[in-house]
Amino acid sequence: MENNLKTRYSDSELKEFKDIILEKLRIAKEELASLTQSLSNPNLNGTDDTAGTYKTLEDGSATLEKEQINQLAARQKKFIENLEAALVRIENKTYGVCRETGKLIPKERLRAVPHATLSMEAKMRQN
């Protein structure tokens, strides 16, 4: 019952979430850098010595791979933006409050999805 009376997380709870988010942010930025790196250094193993017929197949495969890496990079950028927005909510002390119901989002959900802005109840209503 006490959780229903609580309107926001305490500063120490917010610090715990901030640490989780900062760690996820660090990892996400490393992964994005790695994806960006692989886009700027395509095909380091080279195909110069391969016959022309295989080159065409190689080019198509490389294009598909590049598109997939671009999609992953875009998804990673969005994830980073969401985590950074969560840090702003921590600073504003609005972190962990469902933007639809106004109730606190359970800690378990926030630990799993630290950038969540909806409780499961509100999320289920969207579908």
Side-chain angles (χ1 to χ4, degrees), residues 50-89:
T50 342
T53 49
Y54 294 113
K55 183 121 180 70
T56 309
L57 289 172
E58 195 71 36
D59 288 346
S61 159
T63 302
L64 181 62
E65 189 178 346
K66 196 170 187 174
E67 283 173 17
Q68 289 172 331
I69 292 171
N70 269 322
Q71 284 178 337
L72 285 172
R75 211 174 296 146
Q76 202 64 6
K77 282 179 189 163
K78 184 85 179 129
F79 182 52
I80 289 168
E81 286 169 14
N82 287 337
L83 289 172
E84 287 172 341
L87 287 176
V88 171
R89 290 193 301 280

PDB file of all heavy atoms in Angstrom, residues 50-89:
ATOM      1  N   THR A  50      39.602 -11.314 -56.034  1.00  0.00           N
ATOM      2  CA  THR A  50      38.511 -12.230 -56.380  1.00  0.00           C
ATOM      3  C   THR A  50      38.072 -11.967 -57.814  1.00  0.00           C
ATOM      4  O   THR A  50      38.181 -10.867 -58.320  1.00  0.00           O
ATOM      5  CB  THR A  50      37.286 -12.008 -55.463  1.00  0.00           C
ATOM      6  OG1 THR A  50      37.670 -11.308 -54.320  1.00  0.00           O
ATOM      7  CG2 THR A  50      36.653 -13.311 -55.079  1.00  0.00           C
ATOM      8  N   ALA A  51      37.555 -13.015 -58.455  1.00  0.00           N
ATOM      9  CA  ALA A  51      37.068 -12.885 -59.830  1.00  0.00           C
ATOM     10  C   ALA A  51      35.882 -11.924 -59.886  1.00  0.00           C
ATOM     11  O   ALA A  51      35.150 -11.763 -58.919  1.00  0.00           O
ATOM     12  CB  ALA A  51      36.661 -14.261 -60.351  1.00  0.00           C
ATOM     13  N   GLY A  52      35.685 -11.295 -61.024  1.00  0.00           N
ATOM     14  CA  GLY A  52      34.645 -10.294 -61.225  1.00  0.00           C
ATOM     15  C   GLY A  52      33.240 -10.753 -60.896  1.00  0.00           C
ATOM     16  O   GLY A  52      32.442  -9.988 -60.376  1.00  0.00           O
ATOM     17  N   THR A  53      32.896 -11.992 -61.195  1.00  0.00           N
ATOM     18  CA  THR A  53      31.543 -12.495 -60.925  1.00  0.00           C
ATOM     19  C   THR A  53      31.249 -12.509 -59.431  1.00  0.00           C
ATOM     20  O   THR A  53      30.137 -12.227 -59.020  1.00  0.00           O
ATOM     21  CB  THR A  53      31.344 -13.924 -61.475  1.00  0.00           C
ATOM     22  OG1 THR A  53      32.430 -14.718 -61.040  1.00  0.00           O
ATOM     23  CG2 THR A  53      31.247 -13.932 -62.973  1.00  0.00           C
ATOM     24  N   TYR A  54      32.242 -12.829 -58.651  1.00  0.00           N
ATOM     25  CA  TYR A  54      32.038 -12.852 -57.195  1.00  0.00           C
ATOM     26  C   TYR A  54      31.964 -11.443 -56.627  1.00  0.00           C
ATOM     27  O   TYR A  54      31.334 -11.213 -55.620  1.00  0.00           O
ATOM     28  CB  TYR A  54      33.143 -13.647 -56.507  1.00  0.00           C
ATOM     29  CG  TYR A  54      33.094 -15.108 -56.860  1.00  0.00           C
ATOM     30  CD1 TYR A  54      34.101 -15.696 -57.617  1.00  0.00           C
ATOM     31  CD2 TYR A  54      32.017 -15.897 -56.458  1.00  0.00           C
ATOM     32  CE1 TYR A  54      34.041 -17.035 -57.959  1.00  0.00           C
ATOM     33  CE2 TYR A  54      31.946 -17.239 -56.804  1.00  0.00           C
ATOM     34  CZ  TYR A  54      32.964 -17.797 -57.556  1.00  0.00           C
ATOM     35  OH  TYR A  54      32.894 -19.126 -57.898  1.00  0.00           O
ATOM     36  N   LYS A  55      32.614 -10.510 -57.296  1.00  0.00           N
ATOM     37  CA  LYS A  55      32.631  -9.120 -56.824  1.00  0.00           C
ATOM     38  C   LYS A  55      31.204  -8.576 -56.741  1.00  0.00           C
ATOM     39  O   LYS A  55      30.859  -7.907 -55.787  1.00  0.00           O
ATOM     40  CB  LYS A  55      33.501  -8.260 -57.753  1.00  0.00           C
ATOM     41  CG  LYS A  55      33.646  -6.833 -57.303  1.00  0.00           C
ATOM     42  CD  LYS A  55      35.102  -6.479 -57.070  1.00  0.00           C
ATOM     43  CE  LYS A  55      35.282  -5.071 -56.626  1.00  0.00           C
ATOM     44  NZ  LYS A  55      34.811  -4.789 -55.290  1.00  0.00           N
ATOM     45  N   THR A  56      30.380  -8.887 -57.732  1.00  0.00           N
ATOM     46  CA  THR A  56      28.999  -8.417 -57.738  1.00  0.00           C
ATOM     47  C   THR A  56      28.233  -8.955 -56.535  1.00  0.00           C
ATOM     48  O   THR A  56      27.525  -8.214 -55.857  1.00  0.00           O
ATOM     49  CB  THR A  56      28.281  -8.851 -59.036  1.00  0.00           C
ATOM     50  OG1 THR A  56      29.098  -8.477 -60.136  1.00  0.00           O
ATOM     51  CG2 THR A  56      26.938  -8.187 -59.170  1.00  0.00           C
ATOM     52  N   LEU A  57      28.391 -10.234 -56.264  1.00  0.00           N
ATOM     53  CA  LEU A  57      27.746 -10.835 -55.092  1.00  0.00           C
ATOM     54  C   LEU A  57      28.251 -10.179 -53.812  1.00  0.00           C
ATOM     55  O   LEU A  57      27.488  -9.882 -52.905  1.00  0.00           O
ATOM     56  CB  LEU A  57      28.018 -12.342 -55.040  1.00  0.00           C
ATOM     57  CG  LEU A  57      27.327 -13.200 -56.082  1.00  0.00           C
ATOM     58  CD1 LEU A  57      27.846 -14.624 -56.018  1.00  0.00           C
ATOM     59  CD2 LEU A  57      25.823 -13.173 -55.863  1.00  0.00           C
ATOM     60  N   GLU A  58      29.531  -9.955 -53.778  1.00  0.00           N
ATOM     61  CA  GLU A  58      30.179  -9.342 -52.612  1.00  0.00           C
ATOM     62  C   GLU A  58      29.620  -7.938 -52.375  1.00  0.00           C
ATOM     63  O   GLU A  58      29.331  -7.560 -51.250  1.00  0.00           O
ATOM     64  CB  GLU A  58      31.690  -9.292 -52.867  1.00  0.00           C
ATOM     65  CG  GLU A  58      32.534  -9.030 -51.665  1.00  0.00           C
ATOM     66  CD  GLU A  58      32.581 -10.211 -50.700  1.00  0.00           C
ATOM     67  OE1 GLU A  58      32.584 -11.364 -51.149  1.00  0.00           O
ATOM     68  OE2 GLU A  58      32.611  -9.944 -49.495  1.00  0.00           O
ATOM     69  N   ASP A  59      29.455  -7.172 -53.463  1.00  0.00           N
ATOM     70  CA  ASP A  59      28.939  -5.799 -53.349  1.00  0.00           C
ATOM     71  C   ASP A  59      27.517  -5.789 -52.792  1.00  0.00           C
ATOM     72  O   ASP A  59      27.193  -4.977 -51.932  1.00  0.00           O
ATOM     73  CB  ASP A  59      28.961  -5.090 -54.712  1.00  0.00           C
ATOM     74  CG  ASP A  59      30.374  -4.747 -55.158  1.00  0.00           C
ATOM     75  OD1 ASP A  59      31.292  -4.816 -54.314  1.00  0.00           O
ATOM     76  OD2 ASP A  59      30.553  -4.435 -56.349  1.00  0.00           O
ATOM     77  N   GLY A  60      26.682  -6.699 -53.303  1.00  0.00           N
ATOM     78  CA  GLY A  60      25.298  -6.788 -52.821  1.00  0.00           C
ATOM     79  C   GLY A  60      25.252  -7.142 -51.355  1.00  0.00           C
ATOM     80  O   GLY A  60      24.493  -6.559 -50.575  1.00  0.00           O
ATOM     81  N   SER A  61      26.079  -8.078 -50.969  1.00  0.00           N
ATOM     82  CA  SER A  61      26.150  -8.507 -49.575  1.00  0.00           C
ATOM     83  C   SER A  61      26.655  -7.369 -48.689  1.00  0.00           C
ATOM     84  O   SER A  61      26.152  -7.142 -47.591  1.00  0.00           O
ATOM     85  CB  SER A  61      27.067  -9.726 -49.491  1.00  0.00           C
ATOM     86  OG  SER A  61      27.541  -9.889 -48.192  1.00  0.00           O
ATOM     87  N   ALA A  62      27.654  -6.648 -49.188  1.00  0.00           N
ATOM     88  CA  ALA A  62      28.209  -5.524 -48.422  1.00  0.00           C
ATOM     89  C   ALA A  62      27.169  -4.413 -48.239  1.00  0.00           C
ATOM     90  O   ALA A  62      27.075  -3.817 -47.169  1.00  0.00           O
ATOM     91  CB  ALA A  62      29.450  -4.980 -49.121  1.00  0.00           C
ATOM     92  N   THR A  63      26.372  -4.174 -49.281  1.00  0.00           N
ATOM     93  CA  THR A  63      25.327  -3.148 -49.208  1.00  0.00           C
ATOM     94  C   THR A  63      24.280  -3.524 -48.168  1.00  0.00           C
ATOM     95  O   THR A  63      23.881  -2.697 -47.347  1.00  0.00           O
ATOM     96  CB  THR A  63      24.648  -2.953 -50.587  1.00  0.00           C
ATOM     97  OG1 THR A  63      25.655  -2.590 -51.533  1.00  0.00           O
ATOM     98  CG2 THR A  63      23.591  -1.878 -50.538  1.00  0.00           C
ATOM     99  N   LEU A  64      23.856  -4.791 -48.193  1.00  0.00           N
ATOM    100  CA  LEU A  64      22.878  -5.272 -47.221  1.00  0.00           C
ATOM    101  C   LEU A  64      23.429  -5.148 -45.801  1.00  0.00           C
ATOM    102  O   LEU A  64      22.747  -4.677 -44.890  1.00  0.00           O
ATOM    103  CB  LEU A  64      22.504  -6.727 -47.524  1.00  0.00           C
ATOM    104  CG  LEU A  64      21.470  -7.353 -46.595  1.00  0.00           C
ATOM    105  CD1 LEU A  64      20.138  -6.595 -46.696  1.00  0.00           C
ATOM    106  CD2 LEU A  64      21.263  -8.806 -46.941  1.00  0.00           C
ATOM    107  N   GLU A  65      24.669  -5.545 -45.632  1.00  0.00           N
ATOM    108  CA  GLU A  65      25.301  -5.479 -44.311  1.00  0.00           C
ATOM    109  C   GLU A  65      25.384  -4.022 -43.836  1.00  0.00           C
ATOM    110  O   GLU A  65      25.117  -3.720 -42.681  1.00  0.00           O
ATOM    111  CB  GLU A  65      26.703  -6.095 -44.372  1.00  0.00           C
ATOM    112  CG  GLU A  65      27.325  -6.246 -43.002  1.00  0.00           C
ATOM    113  CD  GLU A  65      28.699  -6.890 -43.045  1.00  0.00           C
ATOM    114  OE1 GLU A  65      29.065  -7.465 -44.089  1.00  0.00           O
ATOM    115  OE2 GLU A  65      29.387  -6.799 -42.027  1.00  0.00           O
ATOM    116  N   LYS A  66      25.717  -3.127 -44.759  1.00  0.00           N
ATOM    117  CA  LYS A  66      25.824  -1.708 -44.419  1.00  0.00           C
ATOM    118  C   LYS A  66      24.462  -1.156 -43.979  1.00  0.00           C
ATOM    119  O   LYS A  66      24.379  -0.390 -43.024  1.00  0.00           O
ATOM    120  CB  LYS A  66      26.362  -0.939 -45.630  1.00  0.00           C
ATOM    121  CG  LYS A  66      26.862   0.438 -45.302  1.00  0.00           C
ATOM    122  CD  LYS A  66      27.588   1.039 -46.486  1.00  0.00           C
ATOM    123  CE  LYS A  66      28.225   2.337 -46.066  1.00  0.00           C
ATOM    124  NZ  LYS A  66      29.054   2.922 -47.087  1.00  0.00           N
ATOM    125  N   GLU A  67      23.399  -1.567 -44.669  1.00  0.00           N
ATOM    126  CA  GLU A  67      22.045  -1.134 -44.296  1.00  0.00           C
ATOM    127  C   GLU A  67      21.692  -1.631 -42.895  1.00  0.00           C
ATOM    128  O   GLU A  67      21.118  -0.902 -42.094  1.00  0.00           O
ATOM    129  CB  GLU A  67      21.012  -1.648 -45.304  1.00  0.00           C
ATOM    130  CG  GLU A  67      20.989  -0.872 -46.596  1.00  0.00           C
ATOM    131  CD  GLU A  67      20.073  -1.494 -47.639  1.00  0.00           C
ATOM    132  OE1 GLU A  67      19.214  -2.329 -47.288  1.00  0.00           O
ATOM    133  OE2 GLU A  67      20.220  -1.134 -48.823  1.00  0.00           O
ATOM    134  N   GLN A  68      22.042  -2.890 -42.627  1.00  0.00           N
ATOM    135  CA  GLN A  68      21.761  -3.456 -41.301  1.00  0.00           C
ATOM    136  C   GLN A  68      22.535  -2.724 -40.216  1.00  0.00           C
ATOM    137  O   GLN A  68      21.993  -2.422 -39.153  1.00  0.00           O
ATOM    138  CB  GLN A  68      22.093  -4.952 -41.273  1.00  0.00           C
ATOM    139  CG  GLN A  68      21.119  -5.785 -42.077  1.00  0.00           C
ATOM    140  CD  GLN A  68      21.556  -7.236 -42.200  1.00  0.00           C
ATOM    141  OE1 GLN A  68      22.743  -7.547 -42.180  1.00  0.00           O
ATOM    142  NE2 GLN A  68      20.594  -8.118 -42.345  1.00  0.00           N
ATOM    143  N   ILE A  69      23.790  -2.413 -40.492  1.00  0.00           N
ATOM    144  CA  ILE A  69      24.608  -1.676 -39.517  1.00  0.00           C
ATOM    145  C   ILE A  69      24.032  -0.282 -39.306  1.00  0.00           C
ATOM    146  O   ILE A  69      23.965   0.204 -38.175  1.00  0.00           O
ATOM    147  CB  ILE A  69      26.096  -1.625 -39.965  1.00  0.00           C
ATOM    148  CG1 ILE A  69      26.699  -3.033 -39.905  1.00  0.00           C
ATOM    149  CG2 ILE A  69      26.891  -0.668 -39.087  1.00  0.00           C
ATOM    150  CD1 ILE A  69      28.083  -3.153 -40.521  1.00  0.00           C
ATOM    151  N   ASN A  70      23.587   0.362 -40.400  1.00  0.00           N
ATOM    152  CA  ASN A  70      22.953   1.684 -40.279  1.00  0.00           C
ATOM    153  C   ASN A  70      21.709   1.633 -39.401  1.00  0.00           C
ATOM    154  O   ASN A  70      21.471   2.520 -38.586  1.00  0.00           O
ATOM    155  CB  ASN A  70      22.591   2.243 -41.662  1.00  0.00           C
ATOM    156  CG  ASN A  70      23.705   3.072 -42.245  1.00  0.00           C
ATOM    157  OD1 ASN A  70      24.392   3.814 -41.539  1.00  0.00           O
ATOM    158  ND2 ASN A  70      23.908   2.947 -43.546  1.00  0.00           N
ATOM    159  N   GLN A  71      20.894   0.578 -39.588  1.00  0.00           N
ATOM    160  CA  GLN A  71      19.686   0.412 -38.769  1.00  0.00           C
ATOM    161  C   GLN A  71      20.042   0.215 -37.303  1.00  0.00           C
ATOM    162  O   GLN A  71      19.419   0.797 -36.419  1.00  0.00           O
ATOM    163  CB  GLN A  71      18.853  -0.768 -39.258  1.00  0.00           C
ATOM    164  CG  GLN A  71      18.078  -0.471 -40.526  1.00  0.00           C
ATOM    165  CD  GLN A  71      17.289  -1.684 -41.006  1.00  0.00           C
ATOM    166  OE1 GLN A  71      17.604  -2.817 -40.680  1.00  0.00           O
ATOM    167  NE2 GLN A  71      16.267  -1.429 -41.806  1.00  0.00           N
ATOM    168  N   LEU A  72      21.054  -0.620 -37.052  1.00  0.00           N
ATOM    169  CA  LEU A  72      21.502  -0.858 -35.679  1.00  0.00           C
ATOM    170  C   LEU A  72      22.021   0.437 -35.057  1.00  0.00           C
ATOM    171  O   LEU A  72      21.723   0.742 -33.906  1.00  0.00           O
ATOM    172  CB  LEU A  72      22.608  -1.924 -35.646  1.00  0.00           C
ATOM    173  CG  LEU A  72      22.167  -3.365 -35.838  1.00  0.00           C
ATOM    174  CD1 LEU A  72      23.387  -4.276 -35.981  1.00  0.00           C
ATOM    175  CD2 LEU A  72      21.301  -3.826 -34.677  1.00  0.00           C
ATOM    176  N   ALA A  73      22.776   1.194 -35.836  1.00  0.00           N
ATOM    177  CA  ALA A  73      23.326   2.466 -35.343  1.00  0.00           C
ATOM    178  C   ALA A  73      22.197   3.447 -35.020  1.00  0.00           C
ATOM    179  O   ALA A  73      22.226   4.120 -33.988  1.00  0.00           O
ATOM    180  CB  ALA A  73      24.293   3.062 -36.364  1.00  0.00           C
ATOM    181  N   ALA A  74      21.185   3.512 -35.885  1.00  0.00           N
ATOM    182  CA  ALA A  74      20.045   4.409 -35.655  1.00  0.00           C
ATOM    183  C   ALA A  74      19.295   4.003 -34.389  1.00  0.00           C
ATOM    184  O   ALA A  74      18.914   4.850 -33.570  1.00  0.00           O
ATOM    185  CB  ALA A  74      19.106   4.396 -36.861  1.00  0.00           C
ATOM    186  N   ARG A  75      19.111   2.692 -34.203  1.00  0.00           N
ATOM    187  CA  ARG A  75      18.436   2.178 -33.009  1.00  0.00           C
ATOM    188  C   ARG A  75      19.257   2.515 -31.756  1.00  0.00           C
ATOM    189  O   ARG A  75      18.708   2.898 -30.727  1.00  0.00           O
ATOM    190  CB  ARG A  75      18.254   0.665 -33.155  1.00  0.00           C
ATOM    191  CG  ARG A  75      17.019   0.165 -32.445  1.00  0.00           C
ATOM    192  CD  ARG A  75      16.750  -1.299 -32.705  1.00  0.00           C
ATOM    193  NE  ARG A  75      16.452  -1.562 -34.100  1.00  0.00           N
ATOM    194  CZ  ARG A  75      16.794  -2.662 -34.734  1.00  0.00           C
ATOM    195  NH1 ARG A  75      17.450  -3.611 -34.135  1.00  0.00           N
ATOM    196  NH2 ARG A  75      16.477  -2.827 -35.994  1.00  0.00           N
ATOM    197  N   GLN A  76      20.568   2.381 -31.882  1.00  0.00           N
ATOM    198  CA  GLN A  76      21.464   2.660 -30.760  1.00  0.00           C
ATOM    199  C   GLN A  76      21.420   4.151 -30.397  1.00  0.00           C
ATOM    200  O   GLN A  76      21.404   4.506 -29.221  1.00  0.00           O
ATOM    201  CB  GLN A  76      22.882   2.225 -31.143  1.00  0.00           C
ATOM    202  CG  GLN A  76      23.792   1.948 -29.990  1.00  0.00           C
ATOM    203  CD  GLN A  76      23.338   0.762 -29.138  1.00  0.00           C
ATOM    204  OE1 GLN A  76      22.394   0.053 -29.456  1.00  0.00           O
ATOM    205  NE2 GLN A  76      24.002   0.550 -28.048  1.00  0.00           N
ATOM    206  N   LYS A  77      21.378   5.021 -31.411  1.00  0.00           N
ATOM    207  CA  LYS A  77      21.292   6.476 -31.172  1.00  0.00           C
ATOM    208  C   LYS A  77      20.008   6.806 -30.426  1.00  0.00           C
ATOM    209  O   LYS A  77      19.999   7.614 -29.505  1.00  0.00           O
ATOM    210  CB  LYS A  77      21.348   7.253 -32.494  1.00  0.00           C
ATOM    211  CG  LYS A  77      22.726   7.378 -33.065  1.00  0.00           C
ATOM    212  CD  LYS A  77      22.699   8.146 -34.383  1.00  0.00           C
ATOM    213  CE  LYS A  77      24.040   8.074 -35.074  1.00  0.00           C
ATOM    214  NZ  LYS A  77      23.965   8.446 -36.482  1.00  0.00           N
ATOM    215  N   LYS A  78      18.915   6.189 -30.848  1.00  0.00           N
ATOM    216  CA  LYS A  78      17.613   6.416 -30.206  1.00  0.00           C
ATOM    217  C   LYS A  78      17.657   5.954 -28.743  1.00  0.00           C
ATOM    218  O   LYS A  78      17.169   6.647 -27.845  1.00  0.00           O
ATOM    219  CB  LYS A  78      16.525   5.651 -30.983  1.00  0.00           C
ATOM    220  CG  LYS A  78      15.131   5.873 -30.477  1.00  0.00           C
ATOM    221  CD  LYS A  78      14.540   7.130 -31.095  1.00  0.00           C
ATOM    222  CE  LYS A  78      13.132   7.354 -30.603  1.00  0.00           C
ATOM    223  NZ  LYS A  78      12.909   8.680 -30.087  1.00  0.00           N
ATOM    224  N   PHE A  79      18.274   4.800 -28.494  1.00  0.00           N
ATOM    225  CA  PHE A  79      18.419   4.261 -27.143  1.00  0.00           C
ATOM    226  C   PHE A  79      19.219   5.240 -26.277  1.00  0.00           C
ATOM    227  O   PHE A  79      18.835   5.545 -25.142  1.00  0.00           O
ATOM    228  CB  PHE A  79      19.103   2.890 -27.223  1.00  0.00           C
ATOM    229  CG  PHE A  79      19.267   2.201 -25.895  1.00  0.00           C
ATOM    230  CD1 PHE A  79      18.196   2.017 -25.033  1.00  0.00           C
ATOM    231  CD2 PHE A  79      20.510   1.709 -25.514  1.00  0.00           C
ATOM    232  CE1 PHE A  79      18.357   1.361 -23.806  1.00  0.00           C
ATOM    233  CE2 PHE A  79      20.675   1.051 -24.290  1.00  0.00           C
ATOM    234  CZ  PHE A  79      19.602   0.886 -23.445  1.00  0.00           C
ATOM    235  N   ILE A  80      20.304   5.778 -26.840  1.00  0.00           N
ATOM    236  CA  ILE A  80      21.142   6.747 -26.118  1.00  0.00           C
ATOM    237  C   ILE A  80      20.327   8.002 -25.795  1.00  0.00           C
ATOM    238  O   ILE A  80      20.377   8.508 -24.672  1.00  0.00           O
ATOM    239  CB  ILE A  80      22.411   7.083 -26.937  1.00  0.00           C
ATOM    240  CG1 ILE A  80      23.352   5.872 -26.927  1.00  0.00           C
ATOM    241  CG2 ILE A  80      23.112   8.326 -26.399  1.00  0.00           C
ATOM    242  CD1 ILE A  80      24.507   5.950 -27.919  1.00  0.00           C
ATOM    243  N   GLU A  81      19.546   8.484 -26.757  1.00  0.00           N
ATOM    244  CA  GLU A  81      18.693   9.667 -26.520  1.00  0.00           C
ATOM    245  C   GLU A  81      17.697   9.391 -25.394  1.00  0.00           C
ATOM    246  O   GLU A  81      17.466  10.247 -24.536  1.00  0.00           O
ATOM    247  CB  GLU A  81      17.926  10.038 -27.794  1.00  0.00           C
ATOM    248  CG  GLU A  81      18.778  10.678 -28.861  1.00  0.00           C
ATOM    249  CD  GLU A  81      18.056  10.797 -30.201  1.00  0.00           C
ATOM    250  OE1 GLU A  81      16.805  10.623 -30.249  1.00  0.00           O
ATOM    251  OE2 GLU A  81      18.744  11.050 -31.205  1.00  0.00           O
ATOM    252  N   ASN A  82      17.099   8.204 -25.404  1.00  0.00           N
ATOM    253  CA  ASN A  82      16.132   7.846 -24.358  1.00  0.00           C
ATOM    254  C   ASN A  82      16.797   7.781 -22.986  1.00  0.00           C
ATOM    255  O   ASN A  82      16.212   8.221 -21.993  1.00  0.00           O
ATOM    256  CB  ASN A  82      15.466   6.499 -24.678  1.00  0.00           C
ATOM    257  CG  ASN A  82      14.469   6.607 -25.822  1.00  0.00           C
ATOM    258  OD1 ASN A  82      13.944   7.677 -26.105  1.00  0.00           O
ATOM    259  ND2 ASN A  82      14.226   5.502 -26.487  1.00  0.00           N
ATOM    260  N   LEU A  83      18.008   7.228 -22.927  1.00  0.00           N
ATOM    261  CA  LEU A  83      18.729   7.159 -21.653  1.00  0.00           C
ATOM    262  C   LEU A  83      19.096   8.565 -21.164  1.00  0.00           C
ATOM    263  O   LEU A  83      18.983   8.863 -19.974  1.00  0.00           O
ATOM    264  CB  LEU A  83      19.994   6.299 -21.797  1.00  0.00           C
ATOM    265  CG  LEU A  83      19.771   4.801 -21.966  1.00  0.00           C
ATOM    266  CD1 LEU A  83      21.086   4.098 -22.305  1.00  0.00           C
ATOM    267  CD2 LEU A  83      19.146   4.183 -20.717  1.00  0.00           C
ATOM    268  N   GLU A  84      19.518   9.426 -22.095  1.00  0.00           N
ATOM    269  CA  GLU A  84      19.870  10.799 -21.710  1.00  0.00           C
ATOM    270  C   GLU A  84      18.641  11.559 -21.224  1.00  0.00           C
ATOM    271  O   GLU A  84      18.719  12.336 -20.270  1.00  0.00           O
ATOM    272  CB  GLU A  84      20.564  11.517 -22.876  1.00  0.00           C
ATOM    273  CG  GLU A  84      21.977  10.991 -23.083  1.00  0.00           C
ATOM    274  CD  GLU A  84      22.675  11.515 -24.330  1.00  0.00           C
ATOM    275  OE1 GLU A  84      21.986  12.015 -25.254  1.00  0.00           O
ATOM    276  OE2 GLU A  84      23.917  11.399 -24.379  1.00  0.00           O
ATOM    277  N   ALA A  85      17.493  11.308 -21.846  1.00  0.00           N
ATOM    278  CA  ALA A  85      16.240  11.931 -21.394  1.00  0.00           C
ATOM    279  C   ALA A  85      15.884  11.445 -19.990  1.00  0.00           C
ATOM    280  O   ALA A  85      15.384  12.211 -19.162  1.00  0.00           O
ATOM    281  CB  ALA A  85      15.106  11.623 -22.379  1.00  0.00           C
ATOM    282  N   ALA A  86      16.166  10.168 -19.708  1.00  0.00           N
ATOM    283  CA  ALA A  86      15.910   9.616 -18.375  1.00  0.00           C
ATOM    284  C   ALA A  86      16.779  10.312 -17.332  1.00  0.00           C
ATOM    285  O   ALA A  86      16.323  10.590 -16.220  1.00  0.00           O
ATOM    286  CB  ALA A  86      16.163   8.107 -18.370  1.00  0.00           C
ATOM    287  N   LEU A  87      18.024  10.631 -17.701  1.00  0.00           N
ATOM    288  CA  LEU A  87      18.908  11.365 -16.778  1.00  0.00           C
ATOM    289  C   LEU A  87      18.337  12.748 -16.456  1.00  0.00           C
ATOM    290  O   LEU A  87      18.408  13.200 -15.311  1.00  0.00           O
ATOM    291  CB  LEU A  87      20.320  11.507 -17.371  1.00  0.00           C
ATOM    292  CG  LEU A  87      21.171  10.237 -17.393  1.00  0.00           C
ATOM    293  CD1 LEU A  87      22.498  10.513 -18.110  1.00  0.00           C
ATOM    294  CD2 LEU A  87      21.420   9.701 -15.995  1.00  0.00           C
ATOM    295  N   VAL A  88      17.752  13.391 -17.454  1.00  0.00           N
ATOM    296  CA  VAL A  88      17.121  14.699 -17.237  1.00  0.00           C
ATOM    297  C   VAL A  88      15.953  14.551 -16.261  1.00  0.00           C
ATOM    298  O   VAL A  88      15.788  15.362 -15.345  1.00  0.00           O
ATOM    299  CB  VAL A  88      16.639  15.325 -18.579  1.00  0.00           C
ATOM    300  CG1 VAL A  88      15.785  16.560 -18.342  1.00  0.00           C
ATOM    301  CG2 VAL A  88      17.839  15.660 -19.462  1.00  0.00           C
ATOM    302  N   ARG A  89      15.157  13.469 -16.429  1.00  0.00           N
ATOM    303  CA  ARG A  89      14.032  13.242 -15.516  1.00  0.00           C
ATOM    304  C   ARG A  89      14.526  12.986 -14.095  1.00  0.00           C
ATOM    305  O   ARG A  89      13.873  13.390 -13.129  1.00  0.00           O
ATOM    306  CB  ARG A  89      13.150  12.077 -16.011  1.00  0.00           C
ATOM    307  CG  ARG A  89      12.366  12.418 -17.273  1.00  0.00           C
ATOM    308  CD  ARG A  89      11.277  11.410 -17.581  1.00  0.00           C
ATOM    309  NE  ARG A  89      11.742  10.050 -17.771  1.00  0.00           N
ATOM    310  CZ  ARG A  89      12.278   9.578 -18.887  1.00  0.00           C
ATOM    311  NH1 ARG A  89      12.435  10.359 -19.939  1.00  0.00           N
ATOM    312  NH2 ARG A  89      12.654   8.313 -18.969  1.00  0.00           N
TER     313      ARG A  89
END
